[in-house]
Amino acid sequence: MRQFKGHVQKIEDGIVAMVSRRNAMTFTFNFISPVASFDRNFWQGYSTRTVNEAVNNTRVTRIVYEYLGTSTKQVFATTRGAGFCEFDDLPSYHQRLLRPDEPFS
C-alpha cells in the first residue's frame, strides 16, 4: 500500500510532481515553489486530486514542504510525529503559508 510512482520535473519557478498510488487508485498533481525564508528550506504550493466533482469533496488544497536536511536523526524524529493535527498545533510560519481562511484561486 506504500508504493507510489510518478514523475517529478523542475519548471521555471518551482517543481511539479505527478504521483499515483499502487494500481492507480489515486493520482495527484503537486506544484511547489521556494518561499523566501531564512534558510530557504520552505516550499509552498498546491495539490490537486483527480476525483469526480462532488459538492463536499475537496480537490485542491495548499501545501507546504520543509526541507529537513540530511540528518537521519531529524528526519526520523519528524516522521514519528507526522500525521493529522489541528491547525493551531502547527508552527506559526506554517499557518501563515497555508492560509486556510483564504479561498484558493
Side-chain angles (χ1 to χ4, degrees), residues 25-38:
M25 293 179 68
T26 60
F27 187 88
T28 61
F29 171 87
N30 306 275
F31 168 76
I32 56 173
S33 62
V35 175
S37 67
F38 179 70

Side-chain angles (χ1 to χ4, degrees), residues 12-98:
E12 182 178 347
D13 60 345
I15 296 173
V16 170
M18 293 175 279
V19 183
S20 68
R21 195 172 68 166
R22 176 178 284 210
N23 298 325
M25 293 179 68
T26 60
F27 187 88
T28 61
F29 171 87
N30 306 275
F31 168 76
I32 56 173
S33 62
V35 175
S37 67
F38 179 70
D39 293 325
R40 293 197 44 83
N41 57 337
F42 284 96
W43 296 67
Q44 101 185 93
Y46 61 91
S47 179
T48 63
R49 298 182 320 137
T50 55
V51 295
N52 290 328
E53 184 174 6
V55 175
N56 295 324
N57 198 353
T58 302
R59 293 184 296 163
V60 179
T61 191
R62 289 184 181 94
I63 57 175
V64 173
Y65 284 20
E66 180 180 359
Y67 177 66
L68 299 174
T70 59
S71 166
T72 304
K73 182 177 180 180
Q74 182 175 356
V75 170
F76 284 150
T78 302
T79 60
R80 288 185 190 102
F84 292 103
C85 67
E86 296 297 322
F87 180 75
D88 292 336
D89 294 334
L90 292 171
S92 59
Y93 194 64
H94 293 182
Q95 292 178 8
R96 186 167 71 86
L97 293 174
L98 289 171

